[in-house]
Amino acid sequence: MNTILLNVDWLTINYTIPLAIENVNELNGKSEFSFVPECYTTRHFRNVTRVERGKEELFILTHNPFSKIIQPNLVQVKISNKLFYWGCWLQELKKLKQFLNLSFQSISRIDVCADWEGYNPNEFIDLIRSGKIRMKSPKKISEFYNIEKGELKHEGIKFGSPVSSYTFKIYNKSKEIKEESFKYYIWEWWEWNWKKEIEKDVFRFEFSITELPKIAFSTGELINDENIFEFVYLKELLQLYIDKMRFYYYTGKCRQDREKQYDLLPQTQEQAAESLKYASTGINTRTAKVICNSLIFKLRNSELQNSEAYNIYKTIKSIVTEYHLHEWYFEKHKEDDEFIWDKYSFTIMGTGMKIATNLFREEFRILDEREIDFSKFIKR
């Protein structure tokens, strides 16, 4: 039986800086980081800056607030999602804090998640819908589902709205990776920790918390930007918000034990997850091939908008390039690639003008960018 993997999937931290950052270009060349200004603003901040090393994004900084109510030297640091699975986010954050002389203020947003392979949410969702399970903290409920072979199949459920201080959802993370986010490094992370191939759907239990109080853990230590990721505290934080929801059901007894708490998480052991090696975006090529196969199947068998198909094909290309799978791709998917050329056409972004030649064929064809010699093959 698999254990549940706990992790953080989003973390934005509030810091103060001695002097407000006026020109990020002045920071370049003084550290191992590159600071790249973005050309957009946010609701509360004038400036958005991408922090990179090489070609890898590590952080997003938002700074210089519009409102005078907000401290002028406040900086929000959002950590790149990959770092939570590569396991180096804390050491990178410490380097950034030291370089910019950042002082911790609070956690702006944190998403705490627990992943479970083979979990089926149908029973829980049915009990919620029928009113047999209730909440002490009522929230707006949204359901995710699709129709397969004429039958309703639950994909997840969400409690809370965009204005809530926290939301909770259960959803099919493995499906979301294959069809929407394409974060195949999470798939690698699962197999790395569970020491096995993923055979069933992986569902994620996720709390997204935007107003995290300065709580003290069982040790008496206050939450901060470094201890938040320690397993014992992560487990306490997850349980704290499960208790806030407090799902319960009536036992039928008149007086004592009339209400009993519903165990939200499956009865199994939580596991302190190991991270992937930071030096590599993946451990093996097998999972990369699985993801490519799934995306190619989607391109072949789904009726997609051209823009959506183009983005999926770009993802396939990046996987093939990153994992050096050109030979495998040519051998296994030559006909698929040609079918995709003929199925989709594209328009120039934002203009609606047709591209004269198929974009896949002329500008973006994987088979034309291979790193090995296929001269022995007959090409179309």
Side-chain angles (χ1 to χ4, degrees):
M1 178 178 290
N2 284 347
T3 52
I4 294 176
L5 294 178
L6 302 186
N7 206 349
V8 171
D9 193 67
W10 182 296
L11 186 59
T12 303
I13 308 171
N14 294 324
Y15 292 100
T16 52
I17 191 170
L19 295 174
I21 303 174
E22 298 293 341
N23 184 1
V24 295
N25 292 321
E26 296 178 354
L27 299 175
N28 287 319
K30 298 179 181 179
S31 72
E32 60 191 277
F33 301 115
S34 297
F35 295 84
V36 183
E38 299 285 11
C39 58
Y40 62 91
T41 65
T42 70
R43 180 181 176 185
H44 299 294
F45 293 89
R46 291 186 178 87
N47 300 108
V48 179
T49 300
R50 189 171 70 254
V51 182
E52 300 177 339
R53 181 190 294 107
K55 295 182 180 180
E56 207 63 62
E57 178 185 300
L58 302 177
F59 307 99
I60 294 292
L61 309 183
T62 52
H63 49 101
N64 292 333
F66 288 108
S67 174
K68 294 182 180 180
I69 299 175
I70 303 175
Q71 292 177 269
N73 60 339
L74 183 71
V75 176
Q76 286 192 332
V77 178
K78 176 184 174 295
I79 299 168
S80 174
N81 183 259
K82 284 184 178 180
L83 300 190
F84 300 122
Y85 301 92
W86 288 352
C88 59
W89 74 272
L90 184 54
Q91 67 190 60
E92 299 295 351
L93 182 61
K94 287 180 177 179
K95 292 176 184 177
L96 183 71
K97 287 170 61 179
Q98 183 176 11
F99 175 65
L100 296 178
N101 197 14
L102 300 174
S103 299
F104 172 73
Q105 298 299 309
S106 62
I107 303 294
S108 175
R109 173 183 165 183
I110 182 172
D111 289 2
V112 183
C113 58
D115 294 340
W116 170 258
E117 184 189 11
Y119 174 76
N120 189 329
N122 285 356
E123 178 185 353
F124 174 70
I125 294 174
D126 288 340
L127 290 172
I128 287 287
R129 184 191 286 120
S130 65
K132 293 180 179 179
I133 292 181
R134 304 183 184 185
M135 294 175 289
K136 286 294 185 182
S137 177
K139 289 184 175 294
K140 178 182 176 182
I141 299 176
S142 306
E143 295 181 34
F144 317 126
Y145 60 87
N146 62 17
I147 305 296
E148 289 189 4
K149 297 180 180 180
E151 295 183 2
L152 182 70
K153 182 179 179 182
H154 295 302
E155 295 293 346
I157 190 168
K158 178 180 178 181
F159 302 88
S161 67
V163 297
S164 303
S165 60
Y166 66 92
T167 60
F168 169 67
K169 64 180 178 180
I170 303 172
Y171 64 104
N172 190 333
K173 187 65 178 178
S174 52
K175 181 177 180 180
E176 187 251 8
I177 290 173
K178 290 188 289 185
E179 298 184 2
E180 297 179 31
S181 71
F182 313 127
K183 295 178 180 178
Y184 47 92
Y185 53 86
I186 298 180
W187 200 289
E188 295 273 15
W189 178 76
W190 288 334
E191 296 189 338
W192 178 256
N193 281 278
W194 283 326
K195 312 301 181 188
K196 63 183 288 295
E197 297 180 8
I198 302 302
E199 300 171 344
K200 301 177 181 178
D201 286 339
V202 177
F203 276 81
R204 172 163 286 188
F205 302 75
E206 183 176 278
F207 278 97
S208 182
I209 308 163
T210 55
E211 295 179 13
L212 186 64
K214 293 186 177 180
I215 58 175
F217 293 112
S218 57
T219 60
E221 187 176 2
L222 289 174
I223 192 170
N224 61 47
D225 58 341
E226 296 187 8
N227 66 20
I228 187 63
F229 202 75
E230 293 182 24
F231 175 69
V232 61
Y233 295 151
L234 201 59
K235 187 175 178 180
E236 283 191 31
L237 187 62
L238 183 67
Q239 190 59 53
L240 172 67
Y241 277 84
I242 288 176
D243 292 342
K244 279 180 176 287
M245 299 290 293
R246 198 177 184 278
F247 296 101
Y248 69 95
Y249 61 93
Y250 289 114
T251 62
K253 298 179 180 179
C254 295
R255 294 194 178 97
Q256 292 183 336
D257 301 324
R258 185 183 180 193
E259 296 178 0
K260 189 172 182 179
Q261 185 163 337
Y262 179 84
D263 292 325
L264 180 62
L265 291 177
Q267 293 301 301
T268 187
Q269 180 181 0
E270 293 92 350
Q271 175 181 339
E274 297 178 5
S275 302
L276 296 174
K277 304 290 186 183
Y278 180 42
S280 171
T281 57
I283 301 304
N284 57 64
T285 59
R286 187 195 54 74
T287 301
K289 292 177 181 179
V290 170
I291 299 296
C292 280
N293 290 338
S294 174
L295 297 180
I296 290 167
F297 180 85
K298 184 179 180 67
L299 285 172
R300 283 194 64 109
N301 296 282
S302 301
E303 296 301 323
L304 306 173
Q305 295 291 328
N306 288 324
S307 58
E308 183 181 3
Y310 176 61
N311 287 330
I312 293 175
Y313 193 88
K314 284 199 299 183
T315 301
I316 296 172
K317 178 181 180 293
S318 68
I319 297 173
V320 168
T321 302
E322 186 171 349
Y323 285 83
H324 305 289
L325 296 177
H326 299 81
E327 183 173 5
W328 166 82
Y329 186 88
F330 189 91
E331 179 183 353
K332 300 294 185 181
H333 293 296
K334 182 174 184 294
E335 292 184 2
D336 292 322
D337 196 85
E338 292 173 352
F339 179 86
I340 291 168
W341 296 354
D342 297 331
K343 183 174 181 179
Y344 297 102
S345 60
F346 300 94
T347 57
I348 299 173
M349 186 67 68
T351 67
M353 295 173 59
K354 284 281 186 181
I355 294 177
T357 54
N358 190 307
L359 186 59
F360 282 166
R361 185 177 304 176
E362 297 299 325
E363 299 181 24
F364 208 78
R365 188 185 172 205
I366 293 175
L367 299 183
D368 286 338
E369 299 186 9
R370 55 189 182 277
E371 298 175 354
I372 57 177
D373 182 15
F374 282 121
S375 57
K376 61 182 180 180
F377 294 99
I378 298 174
K379 296 194 294 183
R380 186 172 70 175

